[in-house]
Amino acid sequence: MSYKLVTLGGDGTGPEVMREGLRVLHAISAKLELAWDVDDIPCGGQYYLQHGDRDWPEGAEARCDAADLILLGAVGWPSPTGSGPVLMKDGKMAGFSPVLGNRTRLNLYANVRPVKLYEGVQHRIHGANKQVWQPGLVDMVMIRENTEGLYTPAGGKLSPGGRTEVAIDTRVITRRASEQVIRHAFELCRRRNKGAPKDGKLRVTAVVKDNVLHGCQLFAKIFFEIGAEYPEIEKDTAIVDAFTQWLINQPEYYDVVVTTNMFGDIVTDLASVLQGGMGMAVGANVGAKHGMFEPIHGSAPKHAGKDKVNPIAMVLAVKEGLEWLGQQRGDARLGRGAQAIEAAVVELLKAGAPLTYDLVGEAKAAKCSEVGQWLAAASVRLLG
Ligand code: IPM
Ligand code: MG
């Protein structure tokens, strides 16, 4: 029996990191006797420029719906004619379908982003004392609602006489989606059973703006309703603007963080500086039945085609995907594979080479593919 894997390499450096993620996956799969039926779907801004009317092929939705596991590289490509990304005729970013389309169509309601500073990695906050955060002090999971909020496609532009005068985005917060993602956060906190690095307490923090916004008041209310079912977990709320300071000042206070879509988009990029940058940051888009795993860095057009960028986030996305699928299907081989991949990453970061420019500077930089080859070999070795 084989698992159906859909790969969505996407734009720019997306397919380059995907290649390394798959290299690692196939290497351990041979040893674990795991078989994959891989369906690669081209997509993104570059696809749209070539095809003129779609950001992925007709029928791609059904192929994703049928997958056991989806891996995504990155989408988004600069417009050759204007500023910003290539947009489709309906005004959506070309690359919308594989990312935001899949998140909503497959009800991948939780976007789970681990923020962990591994030993040997320097955080990217500049200043005199670059080593101020020790690895053990940054180890939290951020969970972002992934289907609604300010991303709800309810809005538009008013353009009397052809000139746009007003643009409206409507932020929708529903009880249903809030309950799903908040419950996911409490369940994860319980399962992870790690607590915050500062005091070892199991803690879920809801990041809101409930002093101003109706939607955040509802989100906070539901947070405490559901939280009551988890008496062993401390309930904490933070107003998003203040939270951005505390995240950087005292990351050790956070264990699991849950928030709405747009706030989550912003604070997880911010949090990536605590873990060594976007080359280290992973996003798991999960729902009850489906899962799509991605590095959260973008397509980095200026680095595309140079075999240069850091594949570790993509490799860790493969790890997260295996862990999730293993739990879904009760297949212990997948969990073993995930553990071996993370152990390989930990070993590489401690060893300090081969690593890419973002971690060790241009002078000592290895290629993306060298890192992938090293990780593939180490993962197989660590499977024992
Ligand atoms: C992310 C990305 C996406 C988002 C973009 C590519 C639409 O920034 O996954 O965080 O805004 O969610
Ligand atoms: Mg983002």
Side-chain angles (χ1 to χ4, degrees):
M1 179 226 137
S2 54
Y3 288 111
K4 281 204 180 84
L5 170 68
V6 162
T7 56
L8 300 160
D11 290 309
T13 56
E16 297 175 37
V17 293
M18 180 67 77
R19 199 173 309 131
E20 303 316 316
L22 292 179
R23 191 198 299 279
V24 174
L25 177 67
H26 289 310
I28 59 162
S29 296
K31 184 129 190 196
L32 290 167
E33 297 185 8
L34 269 172
W36 300 94
D37 173 4
V38 182
D39 181 10
D40 183 52
I41 306 181
C43 60
Q46 292 171 293
Y47 182 93
Y48 183 82
L49 290 175
Q50 283 157 14
H51 295 82
D53 60 343
R54 308 180 54 90
D55 58 354
W56 64 359
E58 219 165 309
E61 287 86 353
R63 288 156 71 185
C64 290
D65 298 358
D68 294 305
L69 178 66
I70 305 174
L71 295 174
L72 172 71
V75 290
W77 194 250
S79 164
T81 51
S83 62
V86 179
L87 298 179
M88 300 192 284
K89 291 191 188 84
D90 61 5
K92 289 176 177 150
M93 175 190 83
F96 176 96
S97 309
V99 182
L100 302 178
N102 267 355
R103 287 177 184 168
T104 45
R105 199 188 64 264
L106 298 172
N107 192 21
L108 308 175
Y109 56 80
N111 190 322
V112 183
R113 300 188 165 182
V115 181
K116 179 168 171 179
L117 181 62
Y118 285 99
E119 207 181 317
V121 179
Q122 197 167 62
H123 69 71
R124 297 172 72 84
I125 301 172
H126 290 284
N129 188 1
K130 286 199 99 183
Q131 280 303 358
V132 62
W133 295 124
Q134 302 306 315
L137 295 183
V138 179
D139 190 353
M140 71 186 94
V141 182
M142 291 187 151
I143 304 182
R144 157 187 179 192
E145 199 292 319
N146 212 23
T147 60
E148 57 175 32
L150 208 44
Y151 284 64
T152 307
K157 297 190 178 104
L158 299 179
S159 310
R163 192 170 92 139
T164 303
E165 300 289 348
V166 180
I168 303 168
D169 298 290
T170 309
R171 182 170 180 262
V172 175
I173 303 291
T174 66
R175 175 170 278 279
R176 178 173 166 272
S178 305
E179 280 177 357
Q180 282 181 329
V181 76
I182 289 168
R183 187 167 297 285
H184 196 94
F186 279 103
E187 285 294 320
L188 180 77
C189 181
R190 181 179 269 176
R191 200 168 62 240
R192 186 173 122 97
N193 195 27
K194 240 184 183 176
K198 182 187 166 99
D199 49 19
K201 283 195 181 147
L202 299 185
R203 177 177 294 119
V204 179
T205 302
V207 174
V208 287
K209 187 79 186 180
D210 59 350
N211 51 348
V212 181
L213 300 172
H214 296 295
C216 285
Q217 290 164 359
L218 175 62
F219 195 82
K221 185 170 186 310
I222 294 170
F223 174 72
F224 287 107
E225 279 171 21
I226 294 191
E229 296 173 36
Y230 300 83
E232 79 280 22
I233 298 177
E234 187 178 302
K235 272 70 75 180
D236 172 45
T237 61
I239 307 263
V240 61
D241 48 352
F243 175 74
T244 60
Q245 307 168 58
W246 298 333
L247 177 65
I248 303 301
N249 281 335
Q250 46 156 16
E252 70 274 23
Y253 185 72
Y254 299 106
D255 175 12
V256 172
V257 174
V258 64
T259 189
T260 50
N261 204 344
M262 186 81 250
F263 292 169
D265 180 45
I266 297 166
V267 299
T268 53
D269 271 28
L270 176 60
S272 82
V273 303
L274 297 168
Q275 63 188 135
M278 294 289 269
M280 300 298 297
V282 186
N285 304 269
V286 295
K289 292 202 204 94
H290 300 276
M292 177 169 80
F293 298 79
E294 54 175 327
I296 75 171
H297 60 67
S299 58
K302 70 174 182 198
H303 296 314
K306 298 183 184 158
D307 192 16
K308 174 174 181 180
V309 298
N310 189 351
I312 292 180
M314 182 78 234
V315 170
L316 288 173
V318 171
K319 174 240 159 199
E320 292 290 329
L322 292 179
E323 200 170 280
W324 171 82
L325 187 62
Q327 278 165 11
Q328 287 275 109
R329 304 300 160 88
D331 185 340
R333 293 173 301 172
L334 297 161
R336 279 185 59 213
Q339 274 174 9
I341 294 175
E342 188 175 25
V345 169
V346 165
E347 195 177 299
L348 172 57
L349 294 169
K350 274 193 203 151
L355 292 170
T356 46
Y357 77 100
D358 54 317
L359 295 179
V360 294
E362 298 281 357
K364 291 190 199 154
K367 290 184 184 310
C368 176
S369 55
E370 289 169 335
V371 176
Q373 281 157 13
W374 196 99
L375 287 173
S379 304
V380 170
R381 170 170 47 78
L382 288 161
L383 273 175

